[in-house]
Amino acid sequence: MAPMTAVGDRMHALVERLYPLCRSITGDGVRATLDIVGEYVPLQVHEVPTGTRVLDWTVPQEWNIRDAYIADTAGHRVVDFAASSLHVLGYSVPVAATMPLAELRGHLHTLPDHPTWVPYRTSYYTPQWGFCLAQETLDAMPDGEYEVRIDSTLADGHLTYAEHVVPGQVADEVIVSCHVCHPSLANDNLAGVAVAVFLARELAQRSPYYTYRFIFAPGTIGAITWLARNAERVGRVRHGLVLACAGDRGRLTYKQSRRGDAEIDRVLQHVLRTSERPHHVTGFTPYGYDERQYCSPGFDLGVGSLTRTPYAGYPEYHTSADNPDFVSPETMADTLAVCREAFAVLDRNRQYVNLSPYGEPQLGRRGLYDSLGGRSDAKQAQLAMLWVLNLSDGEHSLLDVAERSGLAFDTVAAAADALHGAGLIKA
Amino acid sequence: MAPMTAVGDRMHALVERLYPLCRSITGDGVRATLDIVGEYVPLQVHEVPTGTRVLDWTVPQEWNIRDAYIADTAGHRVVDFAASSLHVLGYSVPVAATMPLAELRGHLHTLPDHPTWVPYRTSYYTPQWGFCLAQETLDAMPDGEYEVRIDSTLADGHLTYAEHVVPGQVADEVIVSCHVCHPSLANDNLAGVAVAVFLARELAQRSPYYTYRFIFAPGTIGAITWLARNAERVGRVRHGLVLACAGDRGRLTYKQSRRGDAEIDRVLQHVLRTSERPHHVTGFTPYGYDERQYCSPGFDLGVGSLTRTPYAGYPEYHTSADNPDFVSPETMADTLAVCREAFAVLDRNRQYVNLSPYGEPQLGRRGLYDSLGGRSDAKQAQLAMLWVLNLSDGEHSLLDVAERSGLAFDTVAAAADALHGAGLIKA
Amino acid sequence: MAPMTAVGDRMHALVERLYPLCRSITGDGVRATLDIVGEYVPLQVHEVPTGTRVLDWTVPQEWNIRDAYIADTAGHRVVDFAASSLHVLGYSVPVAATMPLAELRGHLHTLPDHPTWVPYRTSYYTPQWGFCLAQETLDAMPDGEYEVRIDSTLADGHLTYAEHVVPGQVADEVIVSCHVCHPSLANDNLAGVAVAVFLARELAQRSPYYTYRFIFAPGTIGAITWLARNAERVGRVRHGLVLACAGDRGRLTYKQSRRGDAEIDRVLQHVLRTSERPHHVTGFTPYGYDERQYCSPGFDLGVGSLTRTPYAGYPEYHTSADNPDFVSPETMADTLAVCREAFAVLDRNRQYVNLSPYGEPQLGRRGLYDSLGGRSDAKQAQLAMLWVLNLSDGEHSLLDVAERSGLAFDTVAAAADALHGAGLIKA
């Protein structure tokens, strides 16, 4: 595995490369994003036609945009989509008009509290048009006429999403989901995409137990579309993680699944706690990212969410200040490391049954016990074997053993391997 | 609704009016009390004959008293029932005799630690007679002969209790019970009676969901009589509250039902906590007021008890110092307000089932969602809808939603109304 | 019962008497130990032949030793088994040789951190020989040739253990188990043996409810042998306690059974807490003493362990410093007292069913209630009756009542006796 700084730099380079693209819940920006992701991991790209019913929703018309600006009477572009994809209200209907500033104001969005930042705004399901700009830009615009133009199209087309699968030893699946619908916002969610991509590459190298499915889809409608089209697969999803806001400099936050005690919840909390990283765990809330859909009561999947600073928890959230400088190689590498460690635990976590449950089996004659009794410093490995034997009653997993014994999960898993090798436990 | 001070004053006036009457577990004092209560709310009065078997008990003979005194040789009444109904041991058998103080002492009850207070004592089931007086009165009584007279009758008659029903939308009942057997004691329990009366009047104005049954009955034997005579109705009692000591100046105390997690327990605790009133919650104990009977293991009803300073928790308890000055209009109004708020929550608390449980339903096309996405200050009402949708799985009530989300119950209930109106959830 | 100091002294005398014997998991040292124990309580001694299969184990060859020493060229014994049974590695194979110190060193065990102490070491299942000695003894041994001799035999024979039974009113059993395989170590476990012996003598005097079975057996293989030979009896074992390290001057430690909430766990914790002794409670761990076997997942008996300073928790553990001075009459008497109190609770703990569960039964007419109502200082006995009546629903034991009410267990048990006598509850 590449050193942490190297993989952090590579993830950051991917964020920078994806940053300029104008993504939305449909359209060519998503396709261009997936093209680039596809250079790192092979993708299966799905195109779902406008009008397709997906659960309670309908795939909307596809939105594409080529140009947009507000120009003064001298023809100078005071707001220009070419400078930032955030300048246009997402899903703006086309417009070509000239109007006085007073009329234009109703279509302008700013952040008065952060006068140099451009907000991110959308209107997916109500037809309207608008521009987002810095308050100081607006303040500098003299009254008078302005030419406004949005060269966009809203037309029947497709919703685009992609999957990458790392095959496992079993068909049971772990899903890793990240939204790809946000335009030029780095932390939310290009950092999540980058961590997912490099996590997938690492997993492929270690022949995992579970089959890992990475889902790159637009938020809400994309997850809903995936769920609608994978009704039978959902039954095989054992665990899942939504990755978002994976690169800011805040401490890690794990948001539990709706169940609160799903295995993914316990694994993430175990890894965060035992790694002694500063972190925060929050209960499930029905807002945030696509855990909303995976954890809706009809599905109620064991899907948590890992972020650094959580959804809407930082001033730069959904503004032009969420740019590539806002995310760091080190924090993305740290987020990736937590995923790596957590999935290593999840992948090895099993419930075993002690095949010799009456009294302790004689470990010594199987070469599993230090032959010289009476040493007061009992070894961790031997303790781990005793713990695994004692709790392998079909109701406790290795993670249970690690948490109850206080031993490291790796020590417990190695003990289970030794006992399994000696025929003393079965999975 | 009348302003709080007004209703407090009116409750206090009722306490003062009821105060002089000599109540006991039977007799005309209870009837006179119910006559006055009946001026405020219509009552169904029940008369249960002496000798009637009620559960493990038997309705005792009826006790009535006309006069009682201890007079000195000069004919001066040193202790006079006319001055306070507390002066006679409750259920005293008649006596007319002259005896020296030394012999009389065995029939006198005082409070040496509070020499100016008269204690309250009874002997319902063991025939005897006695007087209660201030220690300082006793100390001033010279040795010598005294005339003692108690003009009481113990004879077959009736036990009297009353009910007032506020009809609801469903036959499921909430009972509100308060004891009416104590003579001149204001907090215990005329304040409880007064709060119950005005609570009943308010409930009648709002067409409640549940049917609310107010029980005005003598303690222990009265509640037992009601339970014995309402065996079939008990199955419809969903919740209940015993009101006592409702007017002293201490903080509120909620005593949980025997179950400890009945809905009434959760509602009262929620309202007390979220209203930020100083308060105290205690676990169930099998002593106190008639929750003892409602929460006996055969019934085990979800009946809690609301008091200010709890049973036997203040020095004035069961003494002449528990007089109308001991209770205040403000605290009675506050107790009433907690009941009002708690029953408002109880009455609206439901479990709903999300009819669109797979993914989130599209709120926008139903006019239930702010159309302009991306606002970081998500609205409380929308959060409440998401929470109700997410937890409406047939296992969570609106109170559960409020507690888990941290949102106000009213906000959650309003969200449920909106979702119900849109056909997204069903009760 | 003898005063505490007397019984403490008698237990300490037993420890001193047993101390010099060279015990092991088999052999004449165990037999001599049981002979002495048998002078205090009648024992049923079992001899199980070498080669007998017991659960996953096989009874090993019997080990006996007559003499052992290291002598210098002058014939002076620098290490002599006659001085302490600890000097020989337990289960040493015989040896008679002369060798230079350099070669001998590989067979010598010392404690460099405690240069005056002799360690305790064994090698039951790997044939080898060795000596244990003080580091300062070793340091004083000049290079040169040494005569080493261990006059031991390892041959087919028997494993020896013993039982003492105090018959109870029911066949359900409580087992008290202590290991008898350690040579000259006082706290571990002669103190445990002594407490068990005197506990058995006291129990016999009070006609207990349960049948109490005391097991004196070598650690691990002895408990495994008992379990293997008592497969049907195990089903009658309701509770159990392993006694070890019962005499050092540390605070008491109760180690929970694997279940964690077995009745024995609750009883011991209740007695330790309410007696206000300094103590410590630890969760189950699959190492320590024979609770390892009783709590293996196939048996999962409700067997806890009572010690003072727990297993391996003191520097003197498994060294010559664990001598009779290390244990005190007072602490052994205190350990015995806790056992006495705990078994008194365990023996009286029952679940009752209230035969008059609808409302409170009228205690007064049964002579169970103070006839003069209104006393604010309700009596503990009456409170206890109300609590027992209220919680006797077939789901709560008297211990539950004591813990929920805060009343003393004895008060609760006496109330249950009174109610049972009045026919109000049944067991």
Side-chain angles (χ1 to χ4, degrees), chain A residues 180-191:
Chain A
V180 294
C181 53
H182 285 182
S184 299
L185 298 170
N187 195 41
D188 181 14
N189 188 31
L190 300 177

Side-chain angles (χ1 to χ4, degrees), chain C residues 12 35 63 74 99 134 147 180 183 194 255 257 261 266 296 310 321-322 331 337 339 361 418:
Chain C
H12 198 269
D35 283 347
W63 183 66
M99 63 184 68
E147 179 194 359
V180 294
K255 173 181 167 180
S257 76
D261 62 352
R266 297 193 52 224
S296 56
D322 179 4
T331 50
C339 293

Side-chain angles (χ1 to χ4, degrees), chain A residues 354 356-362 365-366 369 371-376 383 386-387 389-391 393 396 404, chain C residues 53 55-57 89 109 121-123 125-126 128 224 258 284-287 292-293 295-299 318:
Chain A
N354 181 341
S356 185
Y358 295 98
E360 291 172 8
Q362 194 179 9
R365 66 175 156 90
R366 295 175 175 92
Y369 208 79
S371 64
L372 190 65
R375 307 250 297 253
S376 64
L383 293 183
L386 293 175
W387 274 108
L389 285 167
N390 191 270
L391 292 180
D393 54 4
H396 296 90
R404 186 154 167 186
Chain C
R53 291 281 305 184
L55 303 179
D56 186 65
W57 301 60
L89 175 77
H109 305 278
R121 294 282 186 275
T122 66
S123 180
Y125 299 99
T126 303
Q128 53 181 309
I224 282 169
R258 180 179 184 272
F284 178 77
T285 60
Y287 41 88
R292 296 162 66 145
Q293 309 309 327
C295 296
S296 56
F299 295 115
H318 276 199

Side-chain angles (χ1 to χ4, degrees), chain B residues 56-57 258 292-293 296 298, chain C residues 357 359-360 362 365 390 393:
Chain B
D56 186 64
W57 302 59
R258 180 179 185 272
R292 297 162 65 145
Q293 310 308 328
S296 57
Chain C
E360 291 172 7
Q362 193 180 8
R365 68 174 155 90
N390 191 270
D393 54 4

Side-chain angles (χ1 to χ4, degrees), chain C residues 163-239:
Chain C
E163 296 174 280
H164 168 72
V165 175
V166 181
Q169 300 166 32
V170 296
D172 291 346
E173 293 198 357
V174 178
I175 58 172
V176 179
S177 180
C178 45
H179 59 283
V180 294
C181 54
H182 286 181
S184 300
L185 298 171
N187 196 41
D188 179 14
N189 189 32
L190 300 177
V193 170
V195 170
V197 164
F198 282 83
L199 178 61
R201 290 164 60 103
E202 291 189 6
L203 279 167
Q205 290 170 2
R206 67 178 199 219
S207 181
Y209 175 75
Y210 290 111
T211 293
Y212 286 78
R213 180 175 303 272
F214 290 78
I215 301 170
F216 302 94
T220 304
I221 185 69
I224 282 169
T225 299
W226 186 88
L227 285 163
R229 291 163 53 98
N230 290 275
E232 64 310 323
R233 187 182 307 284
V234 165
R236 295 209 299 274
V237 173
R238 293 286 166 267
H239 320 283

